Amino acid sequence: MKKEDIFSLNLHKLIIMDINPHIESSWLEVLKDEFQQPYFIEIKKFLLEDKKKYRVFPPGQLIFNAFNLTPFDKVKIVIIGQDPYHGYGQAHGLCFSVPKGIAKPPSLQNIFKELKEDLNINPPDYGDLTGWARQGVFLLNAILTVRENTPESHRNIGWENFTNAAIKNLSDKKEHLVFMLWGAYAQEKEKLIDNTKHLILKAAHPSPFSANRGFFGCHHFSKANQYLIANSIDPIKWEDLN
């Protein structure tokens, strides 16, 4: 079977399982080979079976939301989460973010507290970070799906291969990105990043269990903008969430 036929077949399978196969064109060019790897076939098989028994989040059409909102060519900052929120209605394909109308989870509340302390930006009454994504903040969960009320339930089904490829391609093919690695899990991804080309910012996870151990006071938002400006890149308007 021709390579392009295999790709079309995989897209067809994605449609059947209620996953939107569309990925923005620049990401598609970078990651098209990943859709044809054996691990990706296994992801589809797993999700098909899991969906028969459980609710799986985010909704299929939002699994690749981070990729679609932040084209490869537009990425300036990368924030890496672990897996999606597992409560009903919370996950929409952007790490740490929840749709408008959904209560802000504790980690996100702490992110807004640090933003206030760092740049004196008052937090909004909602937790949707789509505005950041549209400006070039790639809000990537390392694992792109989760079973309802069961955190890490889709760990090691193959998503890490896919998202590692995204991180590695960003590191290899772009320059002057900022990678915000919050917590031990995100910091494991440091080995994929060329620190001679990019700025790596590390801090504790914003969870209430660890935020006081180095997330509060990290000033990552201002440090990121300082680095972007120093490299003639437009900074992020962190107050612009719409």
Side-chain angles (χ1 to χ4, degrees), residues 143-159:
I143 304 161
L144 296 183
T145 56
V146 70
R147 187 182 300 162
E148 183 176 25
N149 297 326
T150 314
E152 300 187 50
S153 50
H154 289 180
R155 189 171 189 174
N156 297 325
I157 71 167
W159 281 128

Side-chain angles (χ1 to χ4, degrees), residues 199-220:
L199 176 63
I200 299 174
L201 298 174
K202 296 188 287 186
H205 194 277
S207 162
F209 300 106
S210 56
N212 285 313
R213 298 200 298 268
F215 178 76
F216 290 137
C218 70
H219 294 181
H220 280 188

Side-chain angles (χ1 to χ4, degrees), residues 165-236:
I167 295 167
K168 186 71 164 55
N169 273 282
L170 284 166
S171 176
D172 291 350
K173 297 177 180 179
K174 294 179 70 72
E175 293 183 342
H176 307 311
L177 298 179
V178 181
F179 290 84
M180 295 184 181
L181 307 181
W182 297 338
Y185 184 88
Q187 288 164 20
E188 291 175 3
K189 307 300 181 181
E190 185 176 4
K191 62 182 178 289
L192 302 170
I193 305 163
D194 184 348
N195 64 5
T196 68
K197 296 167 58 181
H198 309 288
L199 176 63
I200 299 174
L201 298 174
K202 296 188 287 186
H205 194 277
S207 162
F209 300 106
S210 56
N212 285 313
R213 298 200 298 268
F215 178 76
F216 290 137
C218 70
H219 294 181
H220 280 188
F221 303 104
S222 59
K223 289 177 180 178
N225 274 355
Q226 289 164 9
Y227 179 80
L228 294 177
I229 292 168
N231 287 283
S232 301
I233 300 168
D234 289 338
I236 301 299

